[in-house]
């Protein structure tokens, strides 16, 4: 589940009450502890996503960040004009600045004795640029959108720098033991498709190609939230994430050769368990079990009841076992 370790879990709130968000991210043992919390509560979870945040990349570039309760992430400064890029290190040493994430992945994998995979992730360049230009979480990314039109060259420079960091960062996560790497482009749907294809799609395709060139065993996934999925049909991404705004049939039409991941409306998790199970089964049947990874269509939120995920997983387990094709000789 997207953001499966988070504020809807009392054990998460308890740990966070003693420290702050980015200290947890930077302390491998604490990041591991929080990554394991949902697994302890829901043992049928079949993968863990390392506890961290996409904003660790801007932090590594020199933009310090705090997680303000009820507000979200706030950087010490925003990129108001291209001149502000001089305050950044566009080529940070990824190993030196982000090894805490690599250590957290390695530590978690060791703790679960490799019984369950640990997924790594990064923000996509455009989503990271959005937060950097705005200086933190905002309702709409007006300033970041304006940058693409007003300062196209500076935007390209920033996006290219982020792209190269993302590649290094994902390779490092793979090397620490994360077999599947997800690139979250949460702000994909904020701009028109043409602009997305001009400024974002080539870099995303490059990320998939480059990571797989350097690490042929890596699996890579992209989540172009609320955007056009079809542009990724012709890419090296193995998996394309589906937002809750798409129907499974529409998603299959857009990316017929890809494995799809998604897309339960997170709000369903407020419903009674029977309804959660029924609608989950319906969703899995609509996607079909082959080439499909069951997930939410966006993240868990603080007000979600802890019972919701249990019913969701029961629904998934009932239908995926029943309908799964027999594994091929190779898979066995
Ligand atoms: O369990 C997991 O999925 C792993 C952890 C994870 C977090 N953030 C922890 C988190 C992951 C995968 C992310 C990714 C992330 N972070 C994205 C992309 C995916 C998405 O959700 O769209 C984005 C856009 C961010 C940036 C970010 N981090 C924002 C905008 C916020 C505030 C949002 C909110 O709901 O308040 C965060 C905070 C954040 N990241 C929390 C957690 C557990 C809540 C922090 C807290 O207050 O304790």
């Amino acid at each position: 589940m997207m953001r499966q370790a988070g504020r809807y879990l009392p054990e998460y709130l308890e740990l966070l009450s003693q420290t702050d968000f980015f200290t947890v991210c930077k302390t491998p043992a604490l990041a591991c502890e929080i990554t394991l919390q949902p697994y302890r509560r829901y043992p049928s979870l079949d993968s863990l996503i390392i506890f961290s945040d996409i904003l660790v990349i801007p932090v590594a570039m020199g933009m310090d960040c705090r997680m303000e309760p009820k507000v979200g992430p706030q950087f010490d400064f925003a990129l108001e004009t291209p001149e502000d890029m001089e305050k950044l290190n566009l080529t940070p040493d990824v190993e030196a600045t982000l090894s805490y994430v690599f250590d957290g992945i390695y530590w978690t994998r060791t703790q679960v004795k490799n019984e369950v995979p640990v997924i790594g992730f990064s923000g996509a360049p455009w989503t990271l640029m959005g937060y950097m230009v705005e200086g933190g979480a905002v309702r709409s990314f007006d300033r970041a959108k304006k940058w693409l039109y007003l300062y196209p060259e500076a935007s390209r420079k920033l996006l290219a720098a982020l792209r190269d960091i993302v590649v290094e960062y994902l390779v490092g996560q793979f090397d620490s033991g994360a077999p599947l790497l997800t690139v979250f482009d949460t702000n994909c749907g904020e701009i028109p498709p043409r602009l997305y294809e001009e400024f974002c799609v080539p870099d995303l395709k490059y990320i998939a190609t480059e990571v797989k060139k350097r690490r042929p065993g890596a699996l890579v996934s992209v989540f172009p939230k609320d955007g056009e999925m079809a542009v990724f049909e012709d890419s090296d991404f193995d998996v394309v994430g589906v937002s809750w705004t798409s129907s499974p049939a529409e998603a299959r039409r857009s990316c017929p050769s890809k494995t799809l991941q998604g897309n339960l409306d997170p709000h369903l998790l407020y419903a009674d368990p029977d309804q959660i199970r029924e609608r989950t089964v319906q969703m899995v049947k609509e996607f079909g079990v082959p080439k499909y990874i069951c997930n939410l269509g966006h993240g868990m939120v603080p007000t979600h009841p802890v019972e919701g995920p249990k019913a969701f997983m029961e629904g998934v387990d009932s239908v995926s076992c029943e309908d799964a094709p027999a594994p091929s000789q190779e898979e066995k």
Side-chain angles (χ1 to χ4, degrees), residues 1-7 12 16 21 49-55 67 72-73 121 127 131 137 184 186 298-299 302:
M1 293 180 300
M2 220 180 292
R3 283 192 243 143
Q4 66 191 19
R7 291 161 295 179
Y12 171 88
L16 261 283
F21 183 86
I49 180 154
I50 186 65
F51 184 79
S52 183
D53 197 84
I54 60 165
L55 302 180
M67 198 60 78
F121 70 91
T127 291
Y131 286 100
F184 286 110
T186 306
H298 200 203

PDB file of all heavy atoms in Angstrom, residues 1-7 12 16 21 49-55 67 72-73 121 127 131 137 184 186 298-299 302, ligand 1:
ATOM      1  N   MET A   1       0.856  -1.188   0.000  1.00  0.00           N
ATOM      2  CA  MET A   1       0.000   0.000   0.000  1.00  0.00           C
ATOM      3  C   MET A   1       0.887   1.231   0.000  1.00  0.00           C
ATOM      4  O   MET A   1       1.898   1.260   0.698  1.00  0.00           O
ATOM      5  CB  MET A   1      -0.853   0.010   1.270  1.00  0.00           C
ATOM      6  CG  MET A   1      -1.876  -1.104   1.312  1.00  0.00           C
ATOM      7  SD  MET A   1      -2.817  -1.035   2.820  1.00  0.00           S
ATOM      8  CE  MET A   1      -1.528  -1.212   4.050  1.00  0.00           C
ATOM      9  N   MET A   2       0.488   2.241  -0.789  1.00  0.00           N
ATOM     10  CA  MET A   2       1.270   3.458  -0.795  1.00  0.00           C
ATOM     11  C   MET A   2       1.162   4.146   0.571  1.00  0.00           C
ATOM     12  O   MET A   2       0.064   4.288   1.096  1.00  0.00           O
ATOM     13  CB  MET A   2       0.726   4.377  -1.888  1.00  0.00           C
ATOM     14  CG  MET A   2       1.800   5.091  -2.645  1.00  0.00           C
ATOM     15  SD  MET A   2       1.088   6.141  -3.898  1.00  0.00           S
ATOM     16  CE  MET A   2       0.416   4.967  -5.016  1.00  0.00           C
ATOM     17  N   ARG A   3       2.299   4.562   1.108  1.00  0.00           N
ATOM     18  CA  ARG A   3       2.403   5.127   2.470  1.00  0.00           C
ATOM     19  C   ARG A   3       1.811   4.175   3.515  1.00  0.00           C
ATOM     20  O   ARG A   3       1.039   4.571   4.380  1.00  0.00           O
ATOM     21  CB  ARG A   3       1.711   6.491   2.556  1.00  0.00           C
ATOM     22  CG  ARG A   3       2.542   7.583   1.932  1.00  0.00           C
ATOM     23  CD  ARG A   3       1.983   8.950   2.289  1.00  0.00           C
ATOM     24  NE  ARG A   3       1.533   9.656   1.124  1.00  0.00           N
ATOM     25  CZ  ARG A   3       0.458  10.439   1.083  1.00  0.00           C
ATOM     26  NH1 ARG A   3      -0.293  10.619   2.131  1.00  0.00           N
ATOM     27  NH2 ARG A   3       0.142  11.048  -0.027  1.00  0.00           N
ATOM     28  N   GLN A   4       2.201   2.880   3.382  1.00  0.00           N
ATOM     29  CA  GLN A   4       1.624   1.889   4.294  1.00  0.00           C
ATOM     30  C   GLN A   4       2.123   2.061   5.729  1.00  0.00           C
ATOM     31  O   GLN A   4       1.461   1.645   6.673  1.00  0.00           O
ATOM     32  CB  GLN A   4       1.867   0.468   3.790  1.00  0.00           C
ATOM     33  CG  GLN A   4       3.311   0.019   3.756  1.00  0.00           C
ATOM     34  CD  GLN A   4       3.463  -1.302   2.983  1.00  0.00           C
ATOM     35  OE1 GLN A   4       2.600  -1.690   2.201  1.00  0.00           O
ATOM     36  NE2 GLN A   4       4.554  -2.002   3.214  1.00  0.00           N
ATOM     37  N   ALA A   5       3.319   2.671   5.868  1.00  0.00           N
ATOM     38  CA  ALA A   5       3.821   2.964   7.209  1.00  0.00           C
ATOM     39  C   ALA A   5       3.568   4.447   7.438  1.00  0.00           C
ATOM     40  O   ALA A   5       4.198   5.276   6.803  1.00  0.00           O
ATOM     41  CB  ALA A   5       5.309   2.666   7.271  1.00  0.00           C
ATOM     42  N   GLY A   6       2.645   4.779   8.317  1.00  0.00           N
ATOM     43  CA  GLY A   6       2.363   6.204   8.473  1.00  0.00           C
ATOM     44  C   GLY A   6       1.411   6.511   9.610  1.00  0.00           C
ATOM     45  O   GLY A   6       1.183   5.675  10.488  1.00  0.00           O
ATOM     46  N   ARG A   7       0.846   7.703   9.527  1.00  0.00           N
ATOM     47  CA  ARG A   7       0.150   8.266  10.693  1.00  0.00           C
ATOM     48  C   ARG A   7      -1.156   7.595  11.074  1.00  0.00           C
ATOM     49  O   ARG A   7      -1.712   7.916  12.115  1.00  0.00           O
ATOM     50  CB  ARG A   7      -0.091   9.765  10.467  1.00  0.00           C
ATOM     51  CG  ARG A   7       1.189  10.568  10.501  1.00  0.00           C
ATOM     52  CD  ARG A   7       0.991  11.908   9.845  1.00  0.00           C
ATOM     53  NE  ARG A   7       0.706  11.709   8.431  1.00  0.00           N
ATOM     54  CZ  ARG A   7       0.455  12.689   7.570  1.00  0.00           C
ATOM     55  NH1 ARG A   7       0.417  13.920   7.995  1.00  0.00           N
ATOM     56  NH2 ARG A   7       0.222  12.429   6.312  1.00  0.00           N
ATOM     57  N   TYR A  12       3.233   4.156  14.862  1.00  0.00           N
ATOM     58  CA  TYR A  12       4.018   5.159  14.134  1.00  0.00           C
ATOM     59  C   TYR A  12       3.968   6.484  14.904  1.00  0.00           C
ATOM     60  O   TYR A  12       4.995   7.128  15.149  1.00  0.00           O
ATOM     61  CB  TYR A  12       3.440   5.341  12.720  1.00  0.00           C
ATOM     62  CG  TYR A  12       4.041   6.504  11.956  1.00  0.00           C
ATOM     63  CD1 TYR A  12       5.184   6.342  11.195  1.00  0.00           C
ATOM     64  CD2 TYR A  12       3.456   7.783  11.995  1.00  0.00           C
ATOM     65  CE1 TYR A  12       5.743   7.410  10.498  1.00  0.00           C
ATOM     66  CE2 TYR A  12       4.009   8.854  11.311  1.00  0.00           C
ATOM     67  CZ  TYR A  12       5.148   8.661  10.554  1.00  0.00           C
ATOM     68  OH  TYR A  12       5.703   9.728   9.881  1.00  0.00           O
ATOM     69  N   LEU A  16       7.081   8.631  16.367  1.00  0.00           N
ATOM     70  CA  LEU A  16       7.326   9.996  15.871  1.00  0.00           C
ATOM     71  C   LEU A  16       7.175  11.047  16.973  1.00  0.00           C
ATOM     72  O   LEU A  16       7.694  12.153  16.841  1.00  0.00           O
ATOM     73  CB  LEU A  16       6.401  10.304  14.693  1.00  0.00           C
ATOM     74  CG  LEU A  16       6.990  10.163  13.285  1.00  0.00           C
ATOM     75  CD1 LEU A  16       7.881  11.344  12.943  1.00  0.00           C
ATOM     76  CD2 LEU A  16       7.771   8.871  13.076  1.00  0.00           C
ATOM     77  N   PHE A  21      10.548  13.661  11.857  1.00  0.00           N
ATOM     78  CA  PHE A  21      10.429  12.862  10.643  1.00  0.00           C
ATOM     79  C   PHE A  21      11.779  12.607   9.952  1.00  0.00           C
ATOM     80  O   PHE A  21      12.133  11.470   9.663  1.00  0.00           O
ATOM     81  CB  PHE A  21       9.457  13.565   9.693  1.00  0.00           C
ATOM     82  CG  PHE A  21       9.193  12.808   8.442  1.00  0.00           C
ATOM     83  CD1 PHE A  21       8.207  11.829   8.412  1.00  0.00           C
ATOM     84  CD2 PHE A  21       9.927  13.053   7.299  1.00  0.00           C
ATOM     85  CE1 PHE A  21       7.959  11.115   7.244  1.00  0.00           C
ATOM     86  CE2 PHE A  21       9.683  12.348   6.130  1.00  0.00           C
ATOM     87  CZ  PHE A  21       8.701  11.376   6.108  1.00  0.00           C
ATOM     88  N   ILE A  49       7.737  -1.214   1.806  1.00  0.00           N
ATOM     89  CA  ILE A  49       8.375  -0.088   1.121  1.00  0.00           C
ATOM     90  C   ILE A  49       9.214   0.631   2.161  1.00  0.00           C
ATOM     91  O   ILE A  49       8.740   0.873   3.275  1.00  0.00           O
ATOM     92  CB  ILE A  49       7.336   0.818   0.410  1.00  0.00           C
ATOM     93  CG1 ILE A  49       8.018   1.990  -0.296  1.00  0.00           C
ATOM     94  CG2 ILE A  49       6.240   1.296   1.315  1.00  0.00           C
ATOM     95  CD1 ILE A  49       7.220   2.538  -1.478  1.00  0.00           C
ATOM     96  N   ILE A  50      10.457   0.886   1.808  1.00  0.00           N
ATOM     97  CA  ILE A  50      11.365   1.448   2.809  1.00  0.00           C
ATOM     98  C   ILE A  50      10.816   2.781   3.313  1.00  0.00           C
ATOM     99  O   ILE A  50      10.353   3.606   2.521  1.00  0.00           O
ATOM    100  CB  ILE A  50      12.805   1.604   2.257  1.00  0.00           C
ATOM    101  CG1 ILE A  50      13.763   2.052   3.362  1.00  0.00           C
ATOM    102  CG2 ILE A  50      12.874   2.543   1.069  1.00  0.00           C
ATOM    103  CD1 ILE A  50      13.967   1.084   4.478  1.00  0.00           C
ATOM    104  N   PHE A  51      10.860   2.993   4.605  1.00  0.00           N
ATOM    105  CA  PHE A  51      10.374   4.249   5.157  1.00  0.00           C
ATOM    106  C   PHE A  51      11.393   5.348   4.878  1.00  0.00           C
ATOM    107  O   PHE A  51      12.544   5.272   5.308  1.00  0.00           O
ATOM    108  CB  PHE A  51      10.102   4.151   6.661  1.00  0.00           C
ATOM    109  CG  PHE A  51       9.512   5.434   7.148  1.00  0.00           C
ATOM    110  CD1 PHE A  51       8.178   5.701   6.940  1.00  0.00           C
ATOM    111  CD2 PHE A  51      10.306   6.403   7.721  1.00  0.00           C
ATOM    112  CE1 PHE A  51       7.631   6.924   7.302  1.00  0.00           C
ATOM    113  CE2 PHE A  51       9.764   7.628   8.093  1.00  0.00           C
ATOM    114  CZ  PHE A  51       8.423   7.877   7.884  1.00  0.00           C
ATOM    115  N   SER A  52      10.944   6.356   4.146  1.00  0.00           N
ATOM    116  CA  SER A  52      11.790   7.495   3.801  1.00  0.00           C
ATOM    117  C   SER A  52      10.863   8.551   3.222  1.00  0.00           C
ATOM    118  O   SER A  52       9.657   8.523   3.486  1.00  0.00           O
ATOM    119  CB  SER A  52      12.843   7.064   2.766  1.00  0.00           C
ATOM    120  OG  SER A  52      13.707   8.134   2.488  1.00  0.00           O
ATOM    121  N   ASP A  53      11.393   9.459   2.446  1.00  0.00           N
ATOM    122  CA  ASP A  53      10.534  10.410   1.737  1.00  0.00           C
ATOM    123  C   ASP A  53      11.228  10.806   0.444  1.00  0.00           C
ATOM    124  O   ASP A  53      12.462  10.773   0.356  1.00  0.00           O
ATOM    125  CB  ASP A  53      10.265  11.662   2.576  1.00  0.00           C
ATOM    126  CG  ASP A  53       9.075  12.416   2.012  1.00  0.00           C
ATOM    127  OD1 ASP A  53       7.939  12.071   2.333  1.00  0.00           O
ATOM    128  OD2 ASP A  53       9.284  13.348   1.203  1.00  0.00           O
ATOM    129  N   ILE A  54      10.432  11.215  -0.542  1.00  0.00           N
ATOM    130  CA  ILE A  54      11.054  11.637  -1.802  1.00  0.00           C
ATOM    131  C   ILE A  54      11.934  12.875  -1.590  1.00  0.00           C
ATOM    132  O   ILE A  54      12.839  13.123  -2.366  1.00  0.00           O
ATOM    133  CB  ILE A  54      10.008  11.909  -2.907  1.00  0.00           C
ATOM    134  CG1 ILE A  54       9.043  13.014  -2.507  1.00  0.00           C
ATOM    135  CG2 ILE A  54       9.254  10.645  -3.272  1.00  0.00           C
ATOM    136  CD1 ILE A  54       8.225  13.565  -3.679  1.00  0.00           C
ATOM    137  N   LEU A  55      11.666  13.653  -0.551  1.00  0.00           N
ATOM    138  CA  LEU A  55      12.368  14.934  -0.391  1.00  0.00           C
ATOM    139  C   LEU A  55      13.781  14.798   0.155  1.00  0.00           C
ATOM    140  O   LEU A  55      14.477  15.798   0.323  1.00  0.00           O
ATOM    141  CB  LEU A  55      11.522  15.879   0.470  1.00  0.00           C
ATOM    142  CG  LEU A  55      10.129  16.135  -0.135  1.00  0.00           C
ATOM    143  CD1 LEU A  55       9.325  17.073   0.746  1.00  0.00           C
ATOM    144  CD2 LEU A  55      10.230  16.715  -1.550  1.00  0.00           C
ATOM    145  N   MET A  67       9.487  18.572   8.637  1.00  0.00           N
ATOM    146  CA  MET A  67       8.120  18.094   8.436  1.00  0.00           C
ATOM    147  C   MET A  67       7.263  18.753   9.512  1.00  0.00           C
ATOM    148  O   MET A  67       7.365  18.420  10.690  1.00  0.00           O
ATOM    149  CB  MET A  67       8.086  16.569   8.563  1.00  0.00           C
ATOM    150  CG  MET A  67       6.866  15.920   7.983  1.00  0.00           C
ATOM    151  SD  MET A  67       6.618  16.216   6.214  1.00  0.00           S
ATOM    152  CE  MET A  67       7.778  15.085   5.459  1.00  0.00           C
ATOM    153  N   GLY A  72       2.955  19.732   6.574  1.00  0.00           N
ATOM    154  CA  GLY A  72       3.728  18.924   5.634  1.00  0.00           C
ATOM    155  C   GLY A  72       5.142  19.448   5.518  1.00  0.00           C
ATOM    156  O   GLY A  72       5.589  20.252   6.345  1.00  0.00           O
ATOM    157  N   PRO A  73       5.862  19.027   4.477  1.00  0.00           N
ATOM    158  CA  PRO A  73       7.272  19.410   4.374  1.00  0.00           C
ATOM    159  C   PRO A  73       7.463  20.896   4.081  1.00  0.00           C
ATOM    160  O   PRO A  73       6.736  21.470   3.280  1.00  0.00           O
ATOM    161  CB  PRO A  73       7.775  18.557   3.191  1.00  0.00           C
ATOM    162  CG  PRO A  73       6.559  18.081   2.472  1.00  0.00           C
ATOM    163  CD  PRO A  73       5.419  18.108   3.414  1.00  0.00           C
ATOM    164  N   PHE A 121      12.415   3.560  -3.575  1.00  0.00           N
ATOM    165  CA  PHE A 121      11.695   4.567  -4.360  1.00  0.00           C
ATOM    166  C   PHE A 121      12.433   5.891  -4.433  1.00  0.00           C
ATOM    167  O   PHE A 121      13.350   6.147  -3.653  1.00  0.00           O
ATOM    168  CB  PHE A 121      10.284   4.802  -3.808  1.00  0.00           C
ATOM    169  CG  PHE A 121      10.239   5.508  -2.479  1.00  0.00           C
ATOM    170  CD1 PHE A 121      10.148   6.901  -2.408  1.00  0.00           C
ATOM    171  CD2 PHE A 121      10.288   4.802  -1.292  1.00  0.00           C
ATOM    172  CE1 PHE A 121      10.090   7.567  -1.183  1.00  0.00           C
ATOM    173  CE2 PHE A 121      10.243   5.454  -0.060  1.00  0.00           C
ATOM    174  CZ  PHE A 121      10.145   6.834  -0.009  1.00  0.00           C
ATOM    175  N   THR A 127       8.239  16.108 -10.008  1.00  0.00           N
ATOM    176  CA  THR A 127       7.593  16.196  -8.693  1.00  0.00           C
ATOM    177  C   THR A 127       8.560  16.821  -7.681  1.00  0.00           C
ATOM    178  O   THR A 127       8.174  17.685  -6.879  1.00  0.00           O
ATOM    179  CB  THR A 127       7.114  14.797  -8.255  1.00  0.00           C
ATOM    180  OG1 THR A 127       6.025  14.433  -9.117  1.00  0.00           O
ATOM    181  CG2 THR A 127       6.633  14.771  -6.810  1.00  0.00           C
ATOM    182  N   TYR A 131       8.221  20.684  -5.503  1.00  0.00           N
ATOM    183  CA  TYR A 131       8.399  21.006  -4.077  1.00  0.00           C
ATOM    184  C   TYR A 131       9.535  21.998  -3.867  1.00  0.00           C
ATOM    185  O   TYR A 131       9.475  22.852  -2.990  1.00  0.00           O
ATOM    186  CB  TYR A 131       8.636  19.729  -3.263  1.00  0.00           C
ATOM    187  CG  TYR A 131       7.361  18.930  -3.110  1.00  0.00           C
ATOM    188  CD1 TYR A 131       7.088  17.836  -3.907  1.00  0.00           C
ATOM    189  CD2 TYR A 131       6.401  19.321  -2.181  1.00  0.00           C
ATOM    190  CE1 TYR A 131       5.900  17.130  -3.792  1.00  0.00           C
ATOM    191  CE2 TYR A 131       5.207  18.625  -2.055  1.00  0.00           C
ATOM    192  CZ  TYR A 131       4.966  17.538  -2.859  1.00  0.00           C
ATOM    193  OH  TYR A 131       3.781  16.864  -2.743  1.00  0.00           O
ATOM    194  N   ALA A 137       5.160  21.804   0.738  1.00  0.00           N
ATOM    195  CA  ALA A 137       3.844  21.328   0.286  1.00  0.00           C
ATOM    196  C   ALA A 137       2.910  22.517   0.083  1.00  0.00           C
ATOM    197  O   ALA A 137       2.853  23.427   0.911  1.00  0.00           O
ATOM    198  CB  ALA A 137       3.272  20.373   1.330  1.00  0.00           C
ATOM    199  N   PHE A 184       7.992   7.964  -8.129  1.00  0.00           N
ATOM    200  CA  PHE A 184       6.696   8.605  -7.900  1.00  0.00           C
ATOM    201  C   PHE A 184       6.638   9.940  -8.633  1.00  0.00           C
ATOM    202  O   PHE A 184       7.362  10.875  -8.286  1.00  0.00           O
ATOM    203  CB  PHE A 184       6.485   8.894  -6.410  1.00  0.00           C
ATOM    204  CG  PHE A 184       6.187   7.673  -5.588  1.00  0.00           C
ATOM    205  CD1 PHE A 184       7.118   7.174  -4.681  1.00  0.00           C
ATOM    206  CD2 PHE A 184       4.960   7.027  -5.688  1.00  0.00           C
ATOM    207  CE1 PHE A 184       6.837   6.058  -3.914  1.00  0.00           C
ATOM    208  CE2 PHE A 184       4.669   5.910  -4.924  1.00  0.00           C
ATOM    209  CZ  PHE A 184       5.607   5.415  -4.029  1.00  0.00           C
ATOM    210  N   THR A 186       4.041  12.183  -8.619  1.00  0.00           N
ATOM    211  CA  THR A 186       2.754  12.572  -8.053  1.00  0.00           C
ATOM    212  C   THR A 186       2.204  13.834  -8.714  1.00  0.00           C
ATOM    213  O   THR A 186       0.988  14.018  -8.788  1.00  0.00           O
ATOM    214  CB  THR A 186       2.921  12.777  -6.530  1.00  0.00           C
ATOM    215  OG1 THR A 186       3.499  11.579  -6.009  1.00  0.00           O
ATOM    216  CG2 THR A 186       1.616  13.052  -5.846  1.00  0.00           C
ATOM    217  N   HIS A 298      -3.643   5.800  -4.447  1.00  0.00           N
ATOM    218  CA  HIS A 298      -2.808   6.840  -3.848  1.00  0.00           C
ATOM    219  C   HIS A 298      -2.594   6.446  -2.386  1.00  0.00           C
ATOM    220  O   HIS A 298      -2.959   5.327  -2.008  1.00  0.00           O
ATOM    221  CB  HIS A 298      -3.406   8.256  -4.012  1.00  0.00           C
ATOM    222  CG  HIS A 298      -2.361   9.331  -3.847  1.00  0.00           C
ATOM    223  ND1 HIS A 298      -2.656  10.611  -3.485  1.00  0.00           N
ATOM    224  CD2 HIS A 298      -1.003   9.294  -3.969  1.00  0.00           C
ATOM    225  CE1 HIS A 298      -1.537  11.323  -3.413  1.00  0.00           C
ATOM    226  NE2 HIS A 298      -0.523  10.537  -3.708  1.00  0.00           N
ATOM    227  N   GLY A 299      -2.000   7.367  -1.581  1.00  0.00           N
ATOM    228  CA  GLY A 299      -1.521   6.937  -0.271  1.00  0.00           C
ATOM    229  C   GLY A 299      -2.550   6.834   0.844  1.00  0.00           C
ATOM    230  O   GLY A 299      -3.636   7.409   0.776  1.00  0.00           O
ATOM    231  N   PRO A 302      -3.848   9.962   7.479  1.00  0.00           N
ATOM    232  CA  PRO A 302      -3.873   9.795   8.938  1.00  0.00           C
ATOM    233  C   PRO A 302      -5.206   9.311   9.508  1.00  0.00           C
ATOM    234  O   PRO A 302      -5.216   8.627  10.528  1.00  0.00           O
ATOM    235  CB  PRO A 302      -3.563  11.203   9.462  1.00  0.00           C
ATOM    236  CG  PRO A 302      -2.849  11.887   8.352  1.00  0.00           C
ATOM    237  CD  PRO A 302      -3.349  11.289   7.085  1.00  0.00           C
TER     238      PRO A 302
HETATM  239  O1  LIG B   1       5.132   3.574   3.550  1.00  0.00           O
HETATM  240  C1  LIG B   1       5.529   4.172   2.542  1.00  0.00           C
HETATM  241  O2  LIG B   1       4.848   4.289   1.498  1.00  0.00           O
HETATM  242  C2  LIG B   1       6.928   4.740   2.542  1.00  0.00           C
HETATM  243  C3  LIG B   1       7.024   6.057   2.955  1.00  0.00           C
HETATM  244  C4  LIG B   1       6.727   7.241   2.063  1.00  0.00           C
HETATM  245  C5  LIG B   1       6.521   8.512   2.651  1.00  0.00           C
HETATM  246  N1  LIG B   1       6.489   9.437   1.654  1.00  0.00           N
HETATM  247  C6  LIG B   1       6.424   8.763   4.073  1.00  0.00           C
HETATM  248  C7  LIG B   1       5.738   9.974   4.545  1.00  0.00           C
HETATM  249  C8  LIG B   1       6.730   7.397   0.686  1.00  0.00           C
HETATM  250  C9  LIG B   1       6.805   6.352  -0.405  1.00  0.00           C
HETATM  251  C10 LIG B   1       6.583   8.801   0.440  1.00  0.00           C
HETATM  252  C11 LIG B   1       6.616   9.383  -0.906  1.00  0.00           C
HETATM  253  C12 LIG B   1       6.236  10.784  -1.069  1.00  0.00           C
HETATM  254  N2  LIG B   1       6.542  11.843  -0.265  1.00  0.00           N
HETATM  255  C13 LIG B   1       5.540  11.268  -2.196  1.00  0.00           C
HETATM  256  C14 LIG B   1       5.138  10.435  -3.418  1.00  0.00           C
HETATM  257  C15 LIG B   1       3.983   9.548  -3.151  1.00  0.00           C
HETATM  258  C16 LIG B   1       2.710  10.264  -2.825  1.00  0.00           C
HETATM  259  O3  LIG B   1       2.261  10.097  -1.694  1.00  0.00           O
HETATM  260  O4  LIG B   1       2.181  10.959  -3.692  1.00  0.00           O
HETATM  261  C17 LIG B   1       5.382  12.656  -2.015  1.00  0.00           C
HETATM  262  C18 LIG B   1       4.689  13.603  -2.960  1.00  0.00           C
HETATM  263  C19 LIG B   1       6.045  13.017  -0.797  1.00  0.00           C
HETATM  264  C20 LIG B   1       6.219  14.375  -0.213  1.00  0.00           C
HETATM  265  C21 LIG B   1       5.504  14.482   1.070  1.00  0.00           C
HETATM  266  N3  LIG B   1       5.859  13.799   2.217  1.00  0.00           N
HETATM  267  C22 LIG B   1       4.344  15.242   1.359  1.00  0.00           C
HETATM  268  C23 LIG B   1       3.615  16.130   0.372  1.00  0.00           C
HETATM  269  C24 LIG B   1       4.010  15.002   2.695  1.00  0.00           C
HETATM  270  C25 LIG B   1       2.877  15.606   3.494  1.00  0.00           C
HETATM  271  C26 LIG B   1       1.656  14.847   3.086  1.00  0.00           C
HETATM  272  C27 LIG B   1       0.717  14.598   4.220  1.00  0.00           C
HETATM  273  O5  LIG B   1      -0.088  13.672   4.042  1.00  0.00           O
HETATM  274  O6  LIG B   1       0.796  15.260   5.259  1.00  0.00           O
HETATM  275  C28 LIG B   1       4.949  14.078   3.205  1.00  0.00           C
HETATM  276  C29 LIG B   1       4.951  13.542   4.553  1.00  0.00           C
HETATM  277  C30 LIG B   1       5.097  12.097   4.763  1.00  0.00           C
HETATM  278  N4  LIG B   1       5.811  11.226   4.000  1.00  0.00           N
HETATM  279  C31 LIG B   1       4.540  11.395   5.866  1.00  0.00           C
HETATM  280  C32 LIG B   1       4.934  10.072   5.733  1.00  0.00           C
HETATM  281  C33 LIG B   1       4.664   8.939   6.674  1.00  0.00           C
HETATM  282  C34 LIG B   1       3.751  12.020   6.993  1.00  0.00           C
HETATM  283  C35 LIG B   1       4.742  12.665   7.898  1.00  0.00           C
HETATM  284  C36 LIG B   1       4.272  12.907   9.303  1.00  0.00           C
HETATM  285  O7  LIG B   1       3.630  13.966   9.518  1.00  0.00           O
HETATM  286  O8  LIG B   1       4.563  12.077  10.166  1.00  0.00           O
END
